[in-house]
Amino acid sequence: MLTVVGCHAGGEVGNVVVGGVTPPPGKTVYERMEALRADDSLRRLLLREPRGSVAVHANLIVPSLRDDCAAGYIIMEPTEYPAMSGSNTICVATVLLETGMIAMREPETTFSLEAPGGVVEITARCEGGKCESVELLNVPSFAGRLDAPLEVDGLGTVTVDVAYGGMWYAIADSRALGFSLEPSEARDLCTVGEAIRAAARGQLPCRHPVNPDIAGVSIVQIAEPWRGVGAVSKNAVVVAPGRLDRSATGTGLSARMAVLHARGLIGVGDVMMHASLLGSTFEGRVVSETTAGGQPAIVPAIRGSAWITGISQVVVDPTDPFPEGYLLTDTWPGDDRQS
C-alpha cells in the first residue's frame, strides 16, 4: 500500500509518494534515481492507466545522506526521470510543509532538498498553516547553443536555442511557427513540439558538463517573443510523449532566462514571468552568475504555488491483470515502446 498526496502546481500534476516504498539504494539521490529507473515498476504503476495518465507526474520522497538537506526526492515523468523539475519541486515542498513532514514556520520557512540534479534551496511563504508560495533556487542553468538551425520533418529549417534549466530544452519562437499560444492550439503545439524534439535529439547533441549522463534534448519550449524585464511572456512546453505542461514550467523558465542572459538581455536581479496556456504563472529571477563545469551559467530562482488535491492509498490486487498499468495511443501519443 502506497500513500500518495495529490498535488498540482499551476495546473501541472505532481503527486508525492510519502509512504509505502522502501528507498532505493544509493549514496546520492541521483544514484537512488538510477536504481529506481533500472527497475521502473513504480513509475509504471503510478503513471500508467488505470492509476495514472499521460498528464501525471509522481515524486518519491527519499532520505538524503547530506547533512544540509531535509529530504530528497526522485521525479518520475511519463517517459523519463528528469534531474530536476520546477513544478514538481514546488509540489514536493508544499506537501512536505502542509503534511507536517517538515516543520512550518511563518511567515517564511527555509530548507534544502536534494534533487537528482543537485541541492535545491527552498524559501516558502507560509500563513495560517498553508504554504502560499515556494521559491526554489534552481541548479545552474546555461545556454548550450544559440540560433541553431534544425531540420524538422514537415517544417523545414527551424531555428532553436538549446539550453539547460534542469532539463535540456530546445526553445523555438512561437511566432515563427505560426502560433499565438492559445488553448485551442494545444494539439497542434504538441505535434510540432514532438517533431522538434525528435530532430533536436538527432541533430543537436548536448551533455551536461558536470554530469554527462544528463544528455539530449528531452523537452521543447515554444515561446512568444520576450516582452522585457518584469513583463509576462507566454510559453508552451511540450512534454514527451506529446502533451502540454499545464504549468508555466520552472526548468523552462530557467532555460529561457539562461538564453536571455547569454544574449545580454537580462542580468543579475532582473525578474521575468512565464505564463502557461492555462494562464498560470511562475516568476523567475536571476540570482547570480556562476559556472557549470567551466560553462558560463546563471543561478535562477523560480517562484510558484501548489495546491494539495487529496490523499490516496494505492494498492495492487494480486489478481490484477495490469499490475504495472498499460498504454494505448488514443491517450498516450507516440511510440509506447519509449515508456
Side-chain angles (χ1 to χ4, degrees):
M1 182 179 293
L2 311 180
T3 302
V4 180
V5 180
C7 194
H8 78 86
E12 183 75 348
V13 178
N15 296 335
V16 183
V17 183
V18 297
V21 179
T22 301
K27 295 181 180 178
T28 66
V29 170
Y30 187 86
E31 290 179 1
R32 292 176 187 265
M33 179 194 74
E34 289 293 280
L36 198 68
R37 190 208 309 260
D39 177 75
D40 202 34
S41 59
L42 181 66
R43 183 187 67 86
R44 293 169 184 253
L45 167 72
L46 293 171
L47 300 191
R48 292 180 169 192
E49 296 180 63
R51 298 168 189 85
S53 79
V54 74
V56 172
H57 299 161
N59 303 276
L60 175 64
I61 302 300
V62 296
S64 172
L65 299 182
R66 296 180 59 107
D67 293 336
D68 58 347
C69 290
Y73 61 107
I74 299 168
I75 307 156
M76 293 172 280
E77 296 198 350
T79 63
E80 63 177 325
Y81 292 77
M84 179 57 189
S85 166
S87 64
N88 280 295
T89 300
I90 293 167
C91 286
V92 166
T94 300
V95 167
L96 290 173
L97 288 167
E98 293 195 2
T99 61
M101 295 178 71
I102 290 178
M104 182 184 293
R105 292 177 295 277
E106 300 181 10
E108 190 173 270
T109 308
T110 60
F111 55 95
S112 295
L113 297 173
E114 185 183 359
V119 175
V120 181
E121 296 179 20
I122 302 293
T123 301
R125 295 175 184 165
C126 305
E127 183 176 350
K130 176 165 178 59
C131 175
E132 293 193 333
S133 69
V134 172
E135 181 180 84
L136 61 100
L137 201 63
N138 200 4
V139 296
S141 303
F142 52 89
R145 302 172 188 247
L146 299 178
D147 297 322
L150 182 67
E151 296 302 318
V152 182
D153 287 345
L155 298 176
T157 303
V158 175
T159 300
V160 300
D161 300 318
V162 176
Y164 183 79
M167 303 172 72
W168 280 107
Y169 278 78
I171 304 173
D173 187 322
S174 63
R175 185 172 54 189
L177 294 171
F179 289 113
S180 56
L181 299 183
E182 299 298 331
S184 61
E185 298 173 324
R187 175 42 45 200
D188 291 338
L189 283 162
C190 290
T191 300
V192 169
E194 277 296 277
I196 292 173
R197 184 178 71 91
R201 288 186 70 83
Q203 298 172 40
L204 301 174
C206 48
R207 288 187 179 277
H208 195 282
V210 177
N211 187 345
D213 290 335
I214 303 174
V217 169
S218 62
I219 198 162
V220 172
Q221 180 181 139
I222 299 174
E224 72 176 3
W226 183 55
R227 293 181 178 271
V229 173
V232 179
S233 300
K234 285 200 293 187
N235 85 132
V237 169
V238 182
V239 181
R243 62 98 177 171
L244 286 187
D245 192 318
R246 273 59 174 155
S247 76
T249 317
T251 54
L253 180 49
S254 298
R256 185 86 185 278
M257 289 193 296
V259 166
L260 293 170
H261 181 267
R263 290 200 166 101
L265 296 174
I266 61 174
V268 174
D270 286 341
V271 172
M272 70 172 291
M273 302 275 284
H274 257 179
S276 71
L277 261 66
L278 290 179
S280 59
T281 59
F282 286 163
E283 178 185 275
R285 176 170 56 92
V286 180
V287 176
S288 63
E289 297 173 339
T290 187
T291 59
Q295 171 83 35
I298 62 168
V299 175
I302 305 298
R303 181 171 291 277
S305 297
W307 293 266
I308 289 177
T309 58
I311 300 174
S312 62
Q313 291 179 315
V314 177
V315 300
V316 180
D317 188 310
T319 65
D320 189 336
F322 306 111
E324 293 185 9
Y326 52 83
L327 305 178
L328 285 175
T329 56
D330 62 336
T331 59
W332 195 286
D335 184 353
D336 62 10
R337 291 173 297 179
Q338 297 175 2
S339 303

